[in-house]
Amino acid sequence: MFMQSTKTKITAFLIIFLSIIVSFIFWENIHLKPSNNIIENFKGTIYIENNYSHWNETLRYIIFISFPSILYLLYLKISNNFYLPFSHKFLNSNKSLKKKSNLSLFFIILFLFFLNTLFFKIPSHSLDTLHEGMWLTAGQNFFYYDSFWKNSFITVGWAHEFLTPILSNILFSELSIGGTRFIFVFYQLLNQILLLILAYQLSYYQKFNLDIKNFIFLIFVFVILFLTNFYSPVFSYREIPLILFIISIWNVLNNNRIFINLVFIGLLSSISIYWGLDRGAFLNFALIFFCLFLLYNGEFKNFITTAISIFFGWIFFYIIFGHEEFLNFIKNSIWIYTNIEYIYGIIHPTPFGQGENSSRAGKNLILILLISFLTIFYSLSRNKKFSNNNKIILIVLFIISVISYKTALGRSDGPHLKGAMGWCYFSLTFICLINFSIFLKKNNAKKDNFKYLYLIAVSVIFIFISKIILFDGKVFNEKKLVLISHFNKNDSFYYYENNKLDYKNLKTILRNEKCINNMSYDAALPFILSKPTCNKFYFPYSMGGKEIQREYIGLLKNSNSDKIIIKKNDVYINNSPGKLMKIVFEYLEKNYIIYREVGDYLILQRNI
């Protein structure tokens, strides 16, 4: 734990041990029940079947992290070791570091990342009609109706569902499965580049000699490669707004174009929400702390600059999208924020319990708790190892690490538990590297020693990239640049062979329909059939509750098509449309008859 005294080490150990005990005692004993309204609206979901409120996850998590952290803070206070790394007029009095950097090293690494991308094998698996339907059908609706939220009720965010098909259409002159998959590769490359820029800034705005800075950067590069690996990433492209946010804050702390960066930070309030509802919420939560930091330090001018930028950012999007679209965006977003967990929710495992993923969940929480202790020790104690700038950015990283775990609380399956830990790994890397650099500086490491460190770091990076290209990308098997050859494949290449005939028959039967009513989890069906949806509810997996079901029934009554597609035995994990939307299916049973049966699909027709 890098503590200063034996007493501190013992205290820290006891607090960590106590936190584990507390987690076992309180975790499952916190069991709030959902309201009667929620029970009525979301029957059949995991939370409701277990009489479980989604607030349990948040409350359990807060207690698990905050209780031992507060005890440690109290210890620092009692021992007169508590210290805030802030002073009034901090930004104006802080002198920027004379930055000795190595741009040539940065561009060499950047070239390796581009090379890695060039040999990346874009997934050629069969179409995931549920998830890929989110953006394929939203794009289809946009190109037909020339509108966003008015005609598509989206789940993730504007960039995910709309920007992706728009970019695909711009680059390839069509909306296609392969094109959208390429766009996600581009997003991830952009994610990698921005993380490299962040690592570069964190490495070279330090009070170390150039050799140590180079070493910090190279280790950061390896960590970024590991976290953003195309084939099994921890950091996804959805983190891009948060990366930009941290880069801008670091620039402000180092007096680097303060006004421009403050304006950009303010604009990120709205940009991040449009990019993705979840990360947008995380960023705005962290933005509140940043504004409080400015006020605490008497930076009223900078606070006003940020606040005005936030206001005009939202006004800009209101003007761009227009009044009606903006109202639909607000309504859509509020519903997702307040209800989606009751549809998607998977109860978070008890740490180190008996349930599935409980071991991973326990390790995650212990790591977050470790980051909490390290952040408190290096940022909120009188420890002088870290500069003020490092202390503040470490607090920012900690805040983002803690709130980002919300993605794993809301849906606690393996991928979400893994993906929620990216910022924790990044924070831990930053703490370890700064400490190791201080050690090297204190011990006056010789220049020759750095040659060996460079050789080891560069070799590891080269081996890792080679492994990705040769084994994950299977270059020897393909014998060609798979990224380029990927674009020779048309959409039918991605269809399951057993479904091709069904799609062809559906297209023939529904050829005279102006639009498609789809109530199956195959959300990509309207795209496959080359038709827009008749109403905005194209993704049944995000639907639920009496309000939306009644709205959907009203839209069916006024639909341009008297037909609707459902699917026999339609289940995804634990949910099914019939289970989630009983009101809609009761209406269909009374007012529709079976028109045609195509494979697993049933085409219903309104009983006039």
Side-chain angles (χ1 to χ4, degrees):
M1 290 287 295
F2 313 110
M3 300 295 174
Q4 291 176 319
S5 66
T6 303
K7 187 177 180 181
T8 307
K9 290 179 181 179
I10 294 172
T11 303
F13 173 78
L14 289 175
I15 292 171
I16 292 174
F17 183 71
L18 179 61
S19 71
I20 297 173
I21 295 175
V22 168
S23 73
F24 281 109
I25 294 174
F26 287 100
W27 191 272
E28 289 190 335
N29 289 329
I30 297 173
H31 195 100
L32 303 177
K33 296 180 180 180
S35 66
N36 291 331
N37 181 54
I38 292 295
I39 292 173
E40 285 297 315
N41 272 281
F42 299 102
K43 289 179 179 179
T45 60
I46 289 179
Y47 281 176
I48 302 308
E49 287 179 344
N50 288 275
N51 200 23
Y52 190 88
S53 169
H54 77 280
W55 289 110
N56 288 318
E57 313 286 23
T58 303
L59 187 57
R60 291 173 174 183
Y61 177 63
I62 290 173
I63 290 175
F64 189 97
I65 300 301
S66 64
F67 180 68
S69 299
I70 290 171
L71 287 178
Y72 186 45
L73 281 169
L74 287 173
Y75 170 78
L76 291 179
K77 187 69 176 176
I78 292 169
S79 62
N80 199 30
N81 198 23
F82 179 76
Y83 174 76
L84 289 174
F86 318 132
S87 61
H88 290 293
K89 296 295 179 183
F90 173 80
L91 298 181
N92 291 338
S93 61
N94 182 36
K95 294 180 180 179
S96 60
L97 294 171
K98 186 178 180 181
K99 185 175 122 177
K100 291 183 179 179
S101 59
N102 191 340
L103 271 175
S104 59
L105 179 61
F106 176 82
F107 284 111
I108 290 171
I109 296 298
L110 188 61
F111 170 75
L112 290 177
F113 273 74
F114 274 109
L115 187 66
N116 178 38
T117 305
L118 184 63
F119 284 95
F120 171 63
K121 183 179 180 181
I122 292 181
S124 58
H125 59 77
S126 296
L127 176 66
D128 179 351
T129 53
L130 174 68
H131 294 96
E132 292 188 84
M134 294 172 73
W135 52 85
L136 291 171
T137 296
Q140 184 94 344
N141 285 347
F142 168 72
F143 293 125
Y144 185 86
Y145 293 114
D146 193 26
S147 66
F148 296 110
W149 300 271
K150 181 181 177 182
N151 291 101
S152 295
F153 187 85
I154 67 172
T155 306
V156 177
W158 183 86
H160 191 73
E161 277 98 336
F162 293 120
L163 181 60
T164 302
I166 289 172
L167 290 177
S168 172
N169 189 63
I170 291 173
L171 289 177
F172 309 111
S173 301
E174 65 174 349
L175 172 59
S176 65
I177 297 168
T180 54
R181 290 184 182 181
F182 174 81
I183 298 302
F184 285 111
V185 175
F186 169 75
Y187 287 161
Q188 190 65 350
L189 175 62
L190 179 60
N191 186 46
Q192 290 181 333
I193 292 172
L194 290 174
L195 275 172
L196 278 179
I197 292 172
L198 174 59
Y200 183 82
Q201 291 191 331
L202 291 177
S203 302
Y204 290 102
Y205 273 107
Q206 300 290 344
K207 295 180 180 179
F208 303 122
N209 62 46
L210 187 58
D211 287 324
I212 294 177
K213 292 178 181 180
N214 288 337
F215 176 73
I216 295 174
F217 178 63
L218 286 172
I219 299 302
F220 257 134
V221 168
F222 173 72
V223 172
I224 290 169
L225 269 172
F226 174 77
L227 293 177
T228 62
N229 174 16
F230 282 112
Y231 296 95
S232 181
V234 178
F235 255 111
S236 77
Y237 73 92
R238 290 164 72 174
E239 308 293 339
I240 285 175
L242 290 168
I243 300 170
L244 291 170
F245 179 68
I246 297 170
I247 289 173
S248 298
I249 288 180
W250 186 247
N251 284 333
V252 169
L253 293 175
N254 286 282
N255 282 334
N256 185 10
R257 298 182 181 87
I258 290 179
F259 177 77
I260 293 174
N261 280 283
L262 286 173
V263 169
F264 186 64
I265 288 171
L267 293 177
L268 280 173
S269 171
S270 52
I271 292 172
S272 63
I273 295 288
Y274 285 103
W275 182 262
L277 294 177
D278 52 357
R279 269 57 172 193
F282 302 158
L283 188 146
N284 277 273
F285 188 83
L287 182 56
I288 292 172
F289 282 92
F290 178 71
C291 290
L292 292 175
F293 162 74
L294 293 176
L295 289 174
Y296 176 83
N297 285 280
E299 299 287 345
F300 300 113
K301 180 181 176 181
N302 291 325
F303 169 78
I304 291 171
T305 299
T306 306
I308 291 175
S309 299
I310 293 172
F311 175 76
F312 278 105
W314 284 104
I315 292 296
F316 172 78
F317 280 109
Y318 175 83
I319 294 171
I320 289 294
F321 290 119
H323 179 73
E324 185 179 13
E325 282 279 37
F326 190 79
L327 288 182
N328 277 288
F329 154 72
I330 294 294
K331 182 181 178 182
N332 188 156
S333 302
I334 290 174
W335 194 94
I336 292 295
Y337 280 134
T338 55
N339 296 294
I340 197 63
E341 285 184 337
Y342 280 109
I343 296 177
Y344 285 166
I346 297 175
I347 296 174
H348 191 283
T350 300
F352 303 112
Q354 300 299 318
E356 185 179 1
N357 293 313
S358 61
S359 177
R360 181 194 287 268
K363 292 173 185 176
N364 284 356
L365 292 172
I366 292 300
L367 178 57
I368 295 172
L369 194 57
L370 174 63
I371 299 296
S372 175
F373 279 108
L374 292 173
T375 301
I376 291 170
F377 178 70
Y378 288 114
S379 298
L380 299 176
S381 73
R382 296 189 184 278
N383 182 288
K384 296 182 179 179
K385 280 189 174 182
F386 280 38
S387 66
N388 265 10
N389 285 358
N390 284 340
K391 289 181 177 183
I392 294 167
I393 205 66
L394 184 56
I395 292 172
V396 173
L397 287 170
F398 168 69
I399 291 171
I400 291 174
S401 298
V402 169
I403 59 179
S404 291
Y405 197 68
K406 178 64 177 172
T407 59
L409 294 176
R411 186 165 179 82
S412 303
D413 55 11
H416 286 84
L417 285 167
K418 175 185 175 182
M421 296 303 293
W423 287 110
C424 285
Y425 297 136
F426 193 89
S427 299
L428 187 61
T429 301
F430 179 65
I431 293 169
C432 292
L433 284 176
I434 295 300
N435 273 287
F436 187 65
S437 299
I438 291 170
F439 169 80
L440 292 175
K441 184 179 179 181
K442 273 188 177 181
N443 289 274
N444 295 315
K446 296 179 181 179
K447 199 172 186 68
D448 288 342
N449 293 337
F450 282 102
K451 292 179 181 178
Y452 296 109
L453 289 175
Y454 291 156
L455 181 62
I456 293 171
V458 172
S459 298
V460 169
I461 291 169
F462 182 77
I463 291 170
F464 193 78
I465 290 179
S466 299
K467 180 258 181 187
I468 294 172
I469 292 174
L470 299 177
F471 295 99
D472 295 331
K474 298 180 180 178
V475 171
F476 289 142
N477 293 349
E478 297 286 343
K479 297 179 181 178
K480 54 188 173 183
L481 293 179
V482 289
L483 186 65
I484 295 174
S485 63
H486 171 80
F487 301 113
N488 297 326
K489 300 168 183 175
N490 57 33
D491 287 335
S492 63
F493 171 83
Y494 300 101
Y495 300 157
Y496 282 105
E497 199 63 38
N498 294 339
N499 293 131
K500 288 182 179 180
L501 182 59
D502 291 344
Y503 296 155
K504 182 179 180 181
N505 290 335
L506 284 172
K507 203 164 191 175
T508 300
I509 295 168
L510 300 172
R511 63 183 179 277
N512 294 325
E513 300 297 320
K514 294 181 179 179
C515 56
I516 300 294
N517 287 308
N518 177 42
M519 189 46 70
S520 76
Y521 278 167
D522 290 349
L525 270 182
F527 166 79
I528 293 169
L529 302 178
S530 303
K531 294 182 183 292
T533 60
C534 298
N535 62 66
K536 64 182 178 180
F537 297 111
Y538 72 94
F539 192 61
Y541 195 58
S542 292
M543 294 169 59
K546 292 181 179 178
E547 182 182 346
I548 279 186
Q549 291 186 72
R550 287 168 181 162
E551 184 178 355
Y552 185 81
I553 290 170
L555 293 170
L556 275 182
K557 291 177 179 178
N558 298 309
S559 174
N560 286 328
S561 173
D562 63 353
K563 296 179 180 64
I564 184 170
I565 301 173
I566 64 172
K567 192 175 182 181
K568 294 180 286 185
N569 304 315
D570 197 8
V571 177
Y572 178 71
I573 302 180
N574 59 287
N575 288 339
S576 68
K579 192 177 178 183
L580 285 178
M581 293 170 286
K582 290 186 176 180
I583 297 175
V584 171
F585 275 79
E586 286 173 2
Y587 174 81
L588 294 178
E589 190 173 347
K590 291 178 182 178
N591 297 277
Y592 282 73
I593 59 173
I594 296 176
Y595 172 70
R596 293 285 292 273
E597 185 173 340
V598 180
D600 289 332
Y601 299 102
L602 294 176
I603 302 174
L604 307 183
Q605 182 172 296
R606 191 182 299 132
N607 188 9
I608 302 175

